[in-house]
């Protein structure tokens, strides 16, 4: 059974690139258009999500808040959450780590590295 990945990004281009990369690698992918949509999608999901990949800078709810909200939920307390963003500032990485992020990747992403990272953190 393939691992299920939720991608959260307000850029349709990035969502499409993530979908293409992850589906070709054998993952099942669902998408959300921003942080609030990500939480809404997870609330409606009946199948388990194995890894969450989120952007930081998004409308309605940023990635830090997504991570904080998910870490409060026992179902997502230990799920891998990867940040994929254009930000490379060390302080922002620390904020994500403090919120509970599992890892940090910078856009544009290398497809092979992304897949390797997801495989490494997926339970």
């Amino acid at each position: 059974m393939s691992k299920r990945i939720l991608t959260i990004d307000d850029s349709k281009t990035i969502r499409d690139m993530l979908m293409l990369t992850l589906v070709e690698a054998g993952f099942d992918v669902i998408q959300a258009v921003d942080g609030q949509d990500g939480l809404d999608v997870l609330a409606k999901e009946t199948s388990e999500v194995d890894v969450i990949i989120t952007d930081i800078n998004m409308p309605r709810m940023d990635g830090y808040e997504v991570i904080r909200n998910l870490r409060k939920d026992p179902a997502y307390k230990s799920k891998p959450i990867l940040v994929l963003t254009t930000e490379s500032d060390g302080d922002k990485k620390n904020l994500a780590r403090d919120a509970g992020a599992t890892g940090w990747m910078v856009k544009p992403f290398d497809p092979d590295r992304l897949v390797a990272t997801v495989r490494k953190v997926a339970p």
Side-chain angles (χ1 to χ4, degrees):
M1 189 165 135
S2 62
K3 300 290 183 184
R4 196 147 205 246
I5 315 298
L6 169 64
T7 63
I8 307 171
D9 201 302
D10 59 323
S11 165
K12 182 177 182 338
T13 301
I14 295 296
R15 287 194 314 272
D16 289 347
M17 291 171 61
L18 286 168
M19 174 73 82
L20 179 65
T21 299
L22 294 168
V23 168
E24 282 186 0
F27 295 104
D28 181 22
V29 179
I30 55 175
Q31 299 179 325
V33 300
D34 61 41
Q36 184 60 57
D37 188 42
L39 296 181
D40 294 345
V41 166
L42 287 172
K44 294 176 190 169
E45 274 299 309
T46 56
S47 298
E48 185 175 355
V49 172
D50 299 294
V51 177
I52 298 156
I53 300 174
T54 184
D55 189 10
I56 288 296
N57 300 313
M58 298 179 285
R60 297 203 306 157
M61 181 184 293
D62 66 28
Y64 302 117
E65 199 59 35
V66 170
I67 297 167
R68 287 185 199 105
N69 274 285
L70 290 174
R71 292 305 187 212
K72 292 178 193 171
D73 183 334
Y76 295 99
K77 187 174 176 113
S78 60
K79 288 283 180 195
I81 302 175
L82 300 172
V83 172
L84 180 63
T85 181
T86 57
E87 303 286 349
S88 59
D89 179 77
D91 290 339
K92 292 184 177 184
K93 287 182 184 177
N94 289 335
L95 277 174
R97 186 177 306 119
D98 291 347
T102 306
W104 183 278
M105 295 178 288
V106 177
K107 297 175 191 171
F109 65 89
D110 175 274
D112 293 335
R113 184 167 177 242
L114 174 78
V115 169
T117 301
V118 170
R119 286 188 173 136
K120 182 178 177 182
V121 301

